[in-house]
């Protein structure tokens, strides 16, 4: 893949594609705000969430489960899942958690986005997890609920709310032409876990969709939080609301020679997916086409590499429970035995690019392929990725659950 390597080099060099007006060369001056944390032993004395969406008051809750369930031995399984507006499809969500527990697939650590306080508390209490939760729907701009459920002990928990000055908010709304979710604040929920005698930091994020400049700024603010824990093995995970697959604008290899390659460039995406308008996520290539977002992601990956290409195994769990690798799906697409544009073709596209979006059917009655990996993990090099899986077997949300298995390298010696 020399074309990709040279393209990557050109994009990163001072005289490459990043010499563009308005592209930040360092994190912005605005830094996230640390919110208050309250600690509880057990779930009985938690304050109620009385707001209209039951998201909470803006204080972070750390709840120690009196009887946490046991963890796996010597391997850390983590899941991230945007469960859609507090768990809108509640019965499907509950059924999915029952299946995870009964099949032995329940992760040791779960990061939830768009979680209500009651949903996060119920799942943690019933399935034996300690809980860190943060959300707000009273007393300020909405902060959509985020939760980290862990069967490993939680030593610390805090929420960092990203700075979003009102003039920047107003300018973003004017650029977009409507409010959308730009009236909300976003941030990172931090926990420090004790995993097999080592500390591991987790950062559960839910970033803004609708303005690429705001999304890029949030990536820089996340890195400012990460730097406060330099040296601690860390995982940033959640809904980044940007297609993490796309790393560059173009490749020097012509398109016909790249047909076996993942969709890693803007030009790849335009060629393979076109101007898709799904019910979830952004339209077309989306905000990842903005070099500011890609540059911020490059900086994040320098600190916490994307485990996609480092994982020993990558796979998608299909609706019938069978497993398929992205490589198998890509080969089926290239072989030409599946009619292009057919429902099977569209689903193979999503498998080939590990899409984490669960779009509704369009005017043809078939869900379009998006090929977008919004929900994912970035992990320190001390954490060796063994498995990366996207689960297409549930319809409980407009996002799909993503799993990662990590082996901790002992850094104590």
């Amino acid at each position: 893949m020399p074309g990709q390597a040279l393209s990557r080099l050109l994009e990163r060099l001072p005289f490459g594609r990043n010499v563009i007006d308005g592209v930040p060369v360092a994190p912005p001056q605005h830094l996230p705000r640390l919110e208050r944390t309250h600690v509880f032993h057990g779930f009985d004395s938690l304050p109620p969430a009385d707001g209209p969406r039951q998201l909470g008051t803006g204080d972070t809750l750390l709840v120690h489960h009196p009887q946490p369930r046991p963890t796996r031995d010597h391997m850390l399984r983590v899941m991230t899942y945007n469960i859609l507006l507090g768990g809108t499809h509640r019965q499907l969500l509950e059924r999915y958690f029952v299946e995870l527990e009964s099949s032995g697939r329940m992760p040791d650590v779960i990061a939830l986005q768009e979680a209500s306080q009651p949903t996060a508390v119920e799942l943690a209490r019933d399935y034996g997890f300690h809980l860190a939760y943060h959300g707000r729907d009273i007393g300020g701009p909405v902060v959509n609920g985020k939760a980290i459920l862990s069967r490993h002990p939680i030593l610390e928990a805090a929420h960092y709310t990203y700075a979003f000055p009102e003039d920047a908010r107003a300018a973003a709304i004017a650029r977009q032409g409507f409010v959308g979710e730009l009236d909300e604040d976003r941030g990172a929920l931090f926990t420090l876990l004790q995993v097999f005698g080592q500390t591991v930091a987790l950062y559960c994020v839910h970033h803004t969709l609708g303005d690429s400049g705001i999304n890029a700024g949030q990536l820089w603010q996340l890195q400012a939080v990460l730097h406060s824990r330099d040296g601690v093995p860390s995982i940033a995970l959640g809904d980044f609301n940007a297609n993490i697959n796309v790393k560059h604008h173009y490749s020097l290899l012509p398109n016909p020679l790249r047909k076996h390659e993942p969709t890693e460039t803007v030009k790849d995406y335009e060629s393979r997916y076109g101007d898709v308008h799904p019910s979830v996520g952004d339209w077309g290539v989306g905000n990842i086409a903005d070099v500011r977002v890609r540059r911020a992601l490059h900086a994040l990956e320098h600190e916490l590499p994307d485990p996609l290409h480092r994982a020993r195994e990558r796979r998608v769990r299909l609706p019938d429970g069978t497993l398929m690798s992205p490589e198998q799906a890509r080969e089926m697409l290239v072989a030409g035995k599946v009619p292009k544009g057919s429902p099977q073709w569209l689903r193979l596209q999503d498998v080939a690019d590990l899409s984490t979006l669960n779009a509704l059917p369009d005017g043809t009655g078939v869900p379009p392929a998006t090929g977008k990996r919004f929900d994912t993990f970035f992990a320190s090099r001390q954490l060796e990725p063994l498995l990366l899986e996207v689960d297409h077997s549930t319809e409980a949300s407009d996002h799909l659950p993503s799993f990662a298995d990590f082996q901790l390298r002992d850094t104590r010696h």
Side-chain angles (χ1 to χ4, degrees):
M1 291 178 275
Q4 284 186 26
L6 186 53
S7 169
R8 185 178 297 115
L9 178 63
L10 287 173
E11 184 155 319
R12 290 184 175 180
L13 287 174
F15 51 80
R17 290 193 56 83
N18 283 335
V19 184
I20 297 175
D21 290 341
V23 177
V25 295
Q29 295 302 310
H30 301 300
L31 295 175
R33 179 180 70 253
L34 177 64
E35 308 291 358
R36 291 181 300 183
T37 299
H38 301 284
V39 182
F40 300 86
H41 296 274
F43 295 86
D44 294 338
S45 58
L46 291 179
D50 294 327
R53 293 169 57 182
Q54 297 184 295
L55 298 179
T57 63
D59 290 340
T60 304
L61 308 179
L62 170 55
V63 188
H64 298 290
H65 198 294
Q67 294 181 310
R69 295 188 186 178
T71 64
R72 286 172 176 74
D73 289 335
H74 311 301
M75 184 265 289
L76 176 64
R77 171 163 291 178
V78 184
M79 178 177 86
T80 182
Y81 193 12
N82 181 324
I83 60 173
L84 182 61
L85 297 176
T88 298
H89 305 303
R90 188 60 179 268
Q91 289 186 334
L92 292 176
L93 182 66
E94 291 175 354
R95 187 184 308 163
Y96 183 60
F97 270 74
V98 168
E99 191 278 329
L100 287 176
E101 186 71 1
S102 63
S103 66
R105 296 174 53 226
M106 182 70 81
D108 306 303
V109 179
I110 299 173
L112 300 177
Q113 303 84 46
E114 297 195 23
S116 68
Q117 182 179 314
T119 298
V121 166
E122 181 179 322
L123 292 173
R125 182 192 62 219
D126 293 353
Y127 289 98
F129 290 93
H130 306 292
L131 172 68
Y133 176 83
H134 182 91
R136 180 178 66 208
D137 59 350
I138 55 174
V142 166
V143 178
N144 227 322
K146 293 184 289 297
I148 293 176
L149 290 66
S150 175
R151 289 176 174 172
H152 294 282
I154 301 179
L155 305 178
E156 299 177 34
H159 187 269
Y160 295 88
T161 302
Y162 298 143
F164 198 176
E166 287 307 311
D167 57 343
R169 192 190 305 270
I173 292 171
R175 286 193 296 270
Q176 181 169 266
F178 59 95
V179 174
E181 59 186 42
L182 291 172
D183 59 348
E184 298 182 9
D185 283 347
R186 297 295 166 103
L189 177 61
F190 158 79
T191 57
L192 189 66
L193 308 182
Q194 186 174 55
V195 181
F196 309 130
Q198 299 187 58
T199 54
V200 176
L202 260 72
Y203 303 85
C204 171
V205 307
H206 184 207
H207 287 179
T208 293
L209 182 71
D211 189 282
S212 55
I214 300 302
N215 188 285
Q218 291 169 351
L219 286 164
W220 287 118
Q221 291 193 59
L222 170 62
Q223 290 169 73
V225 175
L226 291 170
H227 292 159
S228 68
R229 296 278 178 169
D230 277 345
V232 178
S234 301
I235 303 172
L237 72 170
D239 179 2
F240 289 84
N241 266 320
N243 185 9
I244 306 301
N245 284 333
V246 174
K247 309 295 187 183
H248 314 287
H249 185 77
Y250 67 98
S251 170
L252 296 184
L253 283 178
N255 230 22
L257 298 181
R258 290 185 44 75
K259 59 185 179 181
H260 293 275
E261 303 291 339
T263 306
E264 290 189 338
T265 74
V266 172
K267 296 300 183 184
D268 285 342
Y269 192 93
E270 291 173 342
S271 172
R272 295 172 181 179
Y273 293 92
D275 190 25
V276 61
H277 288 191
S279 61
V280 58
D282 42 18
W283 289 4
V285 179
N287 59 19
I288 199 67
D290 189 328
V291 68
R292 294 175 296 178
V293 178
R294 298 199 306 279
R295 182 160 195 170
L297 281 169
H298 284 322
L300 175 61
E301 289 189 63
H302 181 74
E303 305 284 340
L304 305 178
D306 182 351
L308 177 65
H309 296 301
R310 296 193 297 138
R312 297 181 189 176
E313 182 180 3
R314 295 170 294 277
R315 69 192 189 194
V316 169
R317 188 173 299 270
L318 301 176
D320 63 0
T322 59
L323 301 172
M324 179 181 289
S325 72
E327 293 78 15
Q328 288 173 312
R330 179 71 60 204
E331 288 306 312
M332 292 176 70
L333 290 168
V334 171
K337 296 180 180 179
V338 178
K340 187 172 183 178
S342 66
Q344 185 182 1
W345 169 276
L346 297 174
R347 301 289 69 80
L348 286 171
Q349 280 191 297
D350 277 338
V351 173
D353 286 318
L354 288 172
S355 171
T356 64
L357 301 185
N358 188 24
L360 294 172
D362 59 17
T364 68
V366 177
T370 68
K372 291 182 177 178
R373 185 164 58 103
F374 276 20
D375 311 84
T376 194
F377 313 84
F378 296 90
S380 300
R381 291 171 179 82
Q382 302 102 308
L383 297 162
E384 180 184 356
L386 307 177
L387 169 70
L388 195 63
E389 177 185 310
V390 179
D391 192 348
H392 288 218
S393 71
T394 177
E395 298 285 331
S397 176
D398 58 353
H399 289 243
L400 296 164
S402 294
F403 296 78
D405 290 350
F406 294 99
Q407 187 77 47
L408 275 71
R409 299 189 178 113
D410 195 337
T411 59
R412 293 171 295 181
H413 303 291

